[in-house]
Amino acid sequence: IDPFNNGLKNYEVTDIVYAYLSDSSRQQPLRTQDLLLVNTGDPDRERIALLIDRLRDAGAAVIGVDVLFEGQSEAPTDSLLQAVIKRTPNLVLACEVDQINSQGTGFGRWKGVDTTFANYSTLGYVNFPANQKRVIRYFSPQELVGQDTLPAFTTALLQFYAPEKATQLLNRKKAVEHIHFSGTEYAFPRQEQDRLLDSLSLEEVRSVVRNKIVILGYIPGRGEGDPLRDRHYTPLNQSYTNRAIPDMYGLAIHANVLNMALDENFVRELPNWVNVILLALFGYLNVLLIHWVYDDFNEVFHGITRALQLVEFILLFFLIALLFHFFRIKLDFGVGILALLLAYDLIMIYESLIRRRLPWLDRI
């Protein structure tokens, strides 16, 4: 049963919307005016330091480095990187949050970047609230780390680039945000580190990066690099029933989050009390309907009930999919589907076991 259970946890109806109804065949990259992803390949601290220097001089609005600078390397290289970080105020370094506290309200520490660099830069964590075997659907805008609040990597970038958008995101006061995926990992403008450093002049680099969010990290082109390195499962994976190979690099997930926040294209979720009322009403109406069929069409009760369940399953599937596709409303109707499944059997138990033994129920 466990593999079946895990499969259900990894699957949502909205995955089909992403995989087959979304416009994944865009001819033009997303956010050409705001975003640029840069593939660093195997990270080299000296080359990254030189690239940060060049991007800052070329007028990048904010530079994000999704590379973990753990520990110390060769002294001259680390000294160069530290000096570059000190003179680049619009820089965000990646870290990870670790050791969730006993209350489940925050983390004990951050890790993944040496204090040699962390002390002179803004930090943003790159963790997503799912492990490597689960589908990435959510991100948390900020977390409590120790006694301080630490922003997510994307939130920190927004605070430099568009503070009002970052404020709007945080003012939603949601512990986790459902990510609205706008495109695949190839849908955003990208450049190679070597090209920006070795092939283009400073003026040419300026024309590419000026006033943009530039994020450095591992995001090779199609058919290149390691398909499992910093790569995650997302709802855009068309093999949603058999997620053999992760489909999106972490850098592209950050780009989707930024695109969502800049466009204010957030996923809407119904309040819990509305969801509870809808589920209770749905379950109650189904019990009334099935019970009416049992009383008036007893001889064909089984066939009619199963047909009704099938029709309702299909209608619910399309309702959930279309609400998400056209209005970005995420309807959580898992309990309602369970109620629909159990209604037939519960009515049979009531009629055949309970009602026959308790005649007074007929007077209620």
Side-chain angles (χ1 to χ4, degrees):
I1 296 175
D2 193 51
F4 177 74
N5 184 48
N6 288 334
L8 286 177
K9 287 179 180 178
N10 277 336
Y11 170 78
E12 290 186 7
V13 172
T14 52
D15 291 358
I16 297 179
V17 178
Y18 276 127
Y20 291 104
L21 297 182
S22 298
D23 184 12
S24 58
S25 58
R26 299 176 182 272
Q27 298 301 313
Q28 298 297 325
L30 291 167
R31 283 284 161 195
T32 54
Q33 75 278 19
D34 295 304
L35 280 173
L36 180 68
L37 309 183
V38 180
N39 176 37
T40 61
D42 292 326
D44 179 290
R45 292 187 181 186
E46 182 178 358
R47 297 282 287 175
I48 290 175
L50 295 174
L51 181 59
I52 293 171
D53 241 356
R54 171 159 274 218
L55 293 172
R56 185 196 63 248
D57 294 342
V62 57
I63 304 164
V65 183
D66 187 12
V67 176
L68 298 177
F69 296 128
E70 293 186 90
Q72 297 185 7
S73 181
E74 298 176 1
T77 301
D78 281 358
S79 296
L80 171 64
L81 181 58
Q82 184 191 61
V84 168
I85 290 172
K86 284 183 176 179
R87 59 176 177 261
T88 309
N90 57 333
L91 179 69
V92 177
L93 294 182
C95 69
E96 293 180 336
V97 287
D98 193 24
Q99 296 179 353
I100 191 165
N101 60 32
S102 57
Q103 296 81 26
T105 57
F107 295 85
R109 64 179 185 127
W110 54 262
K111 66 175 186 177
V113 54
D114 194 271
T115 53
T116 304
F117 315 114
N119 290 342
Y120 305 101
S121 177
T122 300
L123 296 182
Y125 59 88
V126 292
N127 307 55
F128 294 104
N131 60 40
Q132 293 181 350
K133 296 181 180 179
R134 299 292 299 276
V135 181
I136 301 297
R137 293 190 175 92
Y138 303 90
F139 89 104
S140 54
Q142 62 182 8
E143 292 286 355
L144 185 67
V145 181
Q147 301 298 318
D148 302 315
T149 300
L150 185 69
F153 185 68
T154 45
T155 305
L157 291 171
L158 280 172
Q159 287 171 335
F160 278 104
Y161 184 74
E164 71 285 357
K165 302 289 185 180
T167 300
Q168 182 181 22
L169 173 65
L170 295 175
N171 283 346
R172 288 167 59 83
K173 299 187 184 303
K174 301 187 72 172
V176 292
E177 283 279 357
H178 194 290
I179 302 172
H180 183 260
F181 286 91
S182 304
T184 66
E185 60 192 12
Y186 306 111
F188 297 90
R190 60 185 299 279
Q191 289 283 343
E192 293 292 326
Q193 172 182 267
D194 293 343
R195 184 167 186 267
L196 293 176
L197 276 176
D198 304 327
S199 302
L200 301 180
S201 67
L202 181 60
E203 284 303 316
E204 289 173 320
V205 174
R206 182 175 286 114
S207 68
V208 174
V209 308
R210 185 173 178 80
N211 296 327
K212 292 184 180 180
I213 303 172
V214 184
I215 315 177
L216 318 182
Y218 189 75
I219 184 165
R222 295 177 188 269
E224 301 175 357
D226 184 351
L228 298 179
R229 178 176 171 184
D230 191 28
R231 202 167 165 91
H232 308 270
Y233 299 107
T234 74
L236 292 180
N237 193 332
Q238 292 196 343
S239 299
Y240 56 86
T241 56
N242 182 22
R243 302 180 188 276
I245 300 177
D247 58 290
M248 188 174 292
Y249 290 102
L251 216 62
I253 298 178
H254 296 316
N256 272 287
V257 173
L258 289 168
N259 192 77
M260 175 185 73
L262 290 169
D263 281 344
E264 301 177 17
N265 201 16
F266 299 105
V267 174
R268 303 181 180 95
E269 295 182 86
L270 296 178
N272 286 335
W273 64 272
V274 174
N275 215 44
V276 169
I277 291 174
L278 287 177
L279 290 172
L281 187 61
F282 177 78
Y284 179 70
L285 291 176
N286 266 291
V287 169
L288 285 182
L289 176 62
I290 294 174
H291 200 276
W292 172 74
V293 172
Y294 180 87
D295 288 337
D296 290 22
F297 304 94
N298 191 268
E299 293 182 358
V300 289
F301 169 66
H302 181 84
I304 294 177
T305 302
R306 293 309 186 199
L308 284 172
Q309 287 178 320
L310 179 60
V311 170
E312 286 195 53
F313 283 142
I314 295 172
L315 291 177
L316 276 175
F317 176 87
F318 280 101
L319 176 64
I320 293 170
L322 293 175
L323 281 175
F324 189 79
H325 181 60
F326 290 107
F327 304 104
R328 299 186 310 282
I329 296 175
K330 189 172 183 295
L331 191 62
D332 185 3
F333 230 68
V335 176
I337 292 173
L338 180 62
L340 178 59
L341 279 172
L342 296 177
Y344 169 86
D345 300 285
L346 291 175
I347 287 175
M348 291 299 294
I349 291 171
Y350 171 77
E351 292 291 342
S352 60
L353 295 178
I354 300 175
R355 189 173 179 180
R356 290 182 182 180
R357 288 166 174 76
L358 302 173
W360 56 269
L361 287 174
D362 291 332
R363 298 191 298 270
I364 297 179

